[in-house]
């Protein structure tokens, strides 16, 4: 993490998914250095280039948001289908229930927040409100969906370490606001 509290999209490196069916770029993981079996929470972006199953994560809940791409994905979680595109609200679902994506159109880029129970993730899409607080919040991150305050689209701001002036300057910017609570 940078001292500025900004994790730049340009610095992300993609690697194969846990199940080998796509690519992911880990942005932040707690505790630092944790792997897929030991994280408390993990935030990443993923390139979904083809239809197929999602990796299973026992004891983990996920919140998925499409952030870029032509078309949509129909995400089937258990028996339920959810159509997601770049305008959809984030979708929360258990990571240990079988899930698969069917792409409608080209590939997509998604934003994925995973938390190990009993933690919870709350992700909202819309204008950033720095004054919105949550008493049981452990961490809060905002993924920029547009340029703002000198930052690029898809940069992630770590609110705990970002300069107060930067946080204030981002007010009203379209973001995905991700909170880890519990």
């Amino acid at each position: 993490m940078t001292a500025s509290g900004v994790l730049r999209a340009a610095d992300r490196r993609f690697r194969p998914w846990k199940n080998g069916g796509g690519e992911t770029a880990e942005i932040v993981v707690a505790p630092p250095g944790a792997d897929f079996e030991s994280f408390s929470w993990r935030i990443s972006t993923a390139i979904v280039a083809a239809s197929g199953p999602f990796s299973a994560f026992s004891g983990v809940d996920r919140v998925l948001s499409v952030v870029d791409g032509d078309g949509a994905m129909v995400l089937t979680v258990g028996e339920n289908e959810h159509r997601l595109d770049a305008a959809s609200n984030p979708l929360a679902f258990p990571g240990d229930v079988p899930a698969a994506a069917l792409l409608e159109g080209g590939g997509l880029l998604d934003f994925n927040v995973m938390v190990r129970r009993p933690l919870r993730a709350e992700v909202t899409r819309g204008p950033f409100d720095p004054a919105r607080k949550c008493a049981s919040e452990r961490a809060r991150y905002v993924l920029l969906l547009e340029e703002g305050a000198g930052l690029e689209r898809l940069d992630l701001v770590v609110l705990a370490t970002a300069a107060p002036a930067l946080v204030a300057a981002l007010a009203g910017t379209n973001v995905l606001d991700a909170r880890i609570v519990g």
Side-chain angles (χ1 to χ4, degrees):
M1 180 181 324
T2 65
S4 68
V6 177
L7 300 169
R8 304 271 181 187
D11 295 336
R12 294 189 190 128
R13 301 292 172 252
F14 285 84
R15 64 180 193 188
W17 283 350
K18 179 182 171 186
N19 71 1
E23 292 182 289
T24 186
E26 184 175 276
I27 304 171
V28 65
V29 64
D35 63 15
F36 286 124
E37 303 306 320
S38 62
F39 68 81
S40 293
W41 68 81
R42 181 179 188 272
I43 297 176
S44 62
T45 55
I47 297 169
V48 183
S51 299
F54 275 35
S55 299
F57 288 92
S58 181
V60 171
D61 289 323
R62 301 175 72 162
V63 181
L64 185 108
S65 308
V66 173
V67 295
D68 207 4
D70 299 325
M73 92 167 70
V74 176
L75 183 60
T76 302
V77 180
E79 306 272 328
N80 301 307
E81 288 187 354
H82 309 273
R83 188 173 186 279
L84 304 172
D85 61 25
S88 299
N89 286 325
L91 176 68
F93 62 98
D96 42 16
V97 171
L102 175 64
L103 291 181
E104 296 178 344
L108 304 170
L109 180 70
D110 69 30
F111 178 68
N112 189 33
V113 179
M114 296 191 293
V115 295
R116 195 162 308 279
R117 296 177 198 119
L119 296 176
R120 292 184 342 271
E122 298 174 357
V123 181
T124 57
R125 183 187 297 265
F128 175 57
D129 179 0
R132 188 172 159 248
K133 302 288 182 192
C134 175
S136 62
E137 185 176 287
R138 290 187 180 213
R140 186 176 177 198
Y141 306 91
V142 291
L143 182 79
L144 277 67
L145 297 176
E146 62 187 12
E147 294 179 359
L151 300 178
E152 298 295 320
R153 184 176 184 277
L154 302 182
D155 285 349
L156 186 86
V157 179
V158 183
L159 295 185
T161 57
L166 171 62
V167 174
L170 288 170
T173 302
N174 192 27
V175 301
L176 285 170
D177 189 343
R179 297 166 184 274
I180 310 301
V181 296

